[in-house]
Amino acid sequence: MSTDSSTDTSPASILLIDDHPLLRKGVKQLIDLEDSMDVIGEASNAHEGVARAQELDPDLILLDLNMPEINGIETLKMLREAEVSSRIVVFTVSDNEEDVVAALKAGADGYLLKDMEPEELVQNLEQAALGKMVISDRLTALLAQALQSGRTDKSADTDSLTPREKQIIKLIAGGLPNKLIARKLNITEGTVKVHVKHLLKKLRLRSRVEVAVWAVQEGLS
């Protein structure tokens, strides 16, 4: 992040991208009750969301899946193509298997359903802000199976991974965000982001969630 802090006491910054003002207001009010998180911006559509993400560089983006004109999956792709490094969690009413897999393969770092209890949402957002995977339990096995089958025709270029990249993969699998990875390895957060970008390309993966699942499958976690 652009702010250099020597402690981890600052609240996680969150951007809400959802076309329903009432829902954004409700989620913001819920988050405002927590000292650990702070909503720093809102957007009602894809283009506004990408612009705000680039402007604010939030720790976490909560993204609606079903938006008019440009849906959440396409918005996800736009955010990743714009090299937005924030963790992105899809927040939706859809528990459709195809939607879940499409979202994660497009670069999402989590998938939460809107019918969850407020307390459960807060807990999941806190975990997501720390870099943890937040996916409904009933969808985890589906994700692992989809990733495994998706790699049958494209082998990951594991031999080209550098020792540093392998270190970072283990730390991602352990749930550490870039800021803490940088501190643990005594390098800058910007350097971590570059390493993550390179290792995603080498492994033919699209998100930190896929890296974590891959690491578990390969016994690297």
Side-chain angles (χ1 to χ4, degrees):
M1 312 304 295
S2 58
T3 302
D4 183 18
S5 175
S6 58
T7 68
D8 295 321
T9 57
S10 57
S13 55
I14 298 178
L15 171 65
L16 306 177
I17 305 178
D18 195 299
D19 64 308
H20 292 97
L22 192 60
L23 185 136
R24 293 201 311 271
K25 182 178 181 180
V27 172
K28 185 178 187 304
Q29 288 177 338
L30 187 64
I31 292 173
D32 284 344
L33 297 173
E34 306 296 323
D35 294 332
S36 59
M37 298 180 289
D38 181 30
V39 175
I40 60 170
E42 300 179 34
S44 61
N45 59 63
H47 292 297
E48 183 184 2
V50 173
R52 294 290 279 162
Q54 291 178 310
E55 172 194 355
L56 299 171
D57 189 22
D59 293 312
L60 179 67
I61 296 173
L62 196 60
L63 173 66
D64 184 25
L65 190 67
N66 301 309
M67 297 190 294
E69 297 184 17
I70 301 177
N71 64 31
I73 300 297
E74 293 305 315
T75 304
L76 249 174
K77 293 176 181 177
M78 290 168 62
L79 287 163
R80 291 313 185 199
E81 286 169 3
E83 298 189 347
V84 171
S85 60
S86 310
R87 288 179 291 284
I88 302 174
V89 173
V90 169
F91 190 46
T92 179
V93 297
S94 173
D95 59 0
N96 182 282
E97 294 179 0
E98 291 183 1
D99 286 339
V100 178
V101 174
L104 296 173
K105 286 193 171 295
D109 297 296
Y111 196 102
L112 299 178
L113 299 174
K114 288 183 177 180
D115 62 359
M116 63 173 46
E117 293 295 325
E119 296 80 6
E120 187 181 359
L121 174 60
V122 168
Q123 291 172 359
N124 275 278
L125 290 180
E126 287 176 335
Q127 292 299 304
L130 292 172
K132 305 283 186 180
M133 291 186 290
V134 285
I135 303 174
S136 173
D137 289 341
R138 67 179 183 271
L139 302 174
T140 306
L142 167 73
L143 170 62
Q145 184 178 5
L147 291 178
Q148 209 162 24
S149 62
R151 287 173 47 223
T152 56
D153 58 342
K154 291 195 293 186
S155 59
D157 189 10
T158 54
D159 291 339
S160 68
L161 289 171
T162 66
R164 178 68 86 192
E165 287 167 350
K166 291 178 180 178
Q167 280 183 306
I168 291 174
I169 288 172
K170 290 183 180 180
L171 295 173
I172 288 175
L176 270 66
N178 287 346
K179 185 183 295 184
L180 294 186
I181 291 175
R183 192 166 300 162
K184 192 173 186 67
L185 298 180
N186 197 28
I187 57 180
T188 67
E189 189 174 354
T191 300
V192 175
K193 290 180 180 180
V194 171
H195 283 308
V196 171
K197 182 179 179 180
H198 289 167
L199 67 87
L200 285 173
K201 184 176 181 180
K202 290 178 180 179
L203 296 177
R204 304 177 194 268
L205 301 175
R206 294 295 299 272
S207 74
R208 297 168 72 95
V209 169
E210 292 193 2
V211 171
V213 173
W214 178 86
V216 171
Q217 292 175 338
E218 298 295 324
L220 298 177
S221 59

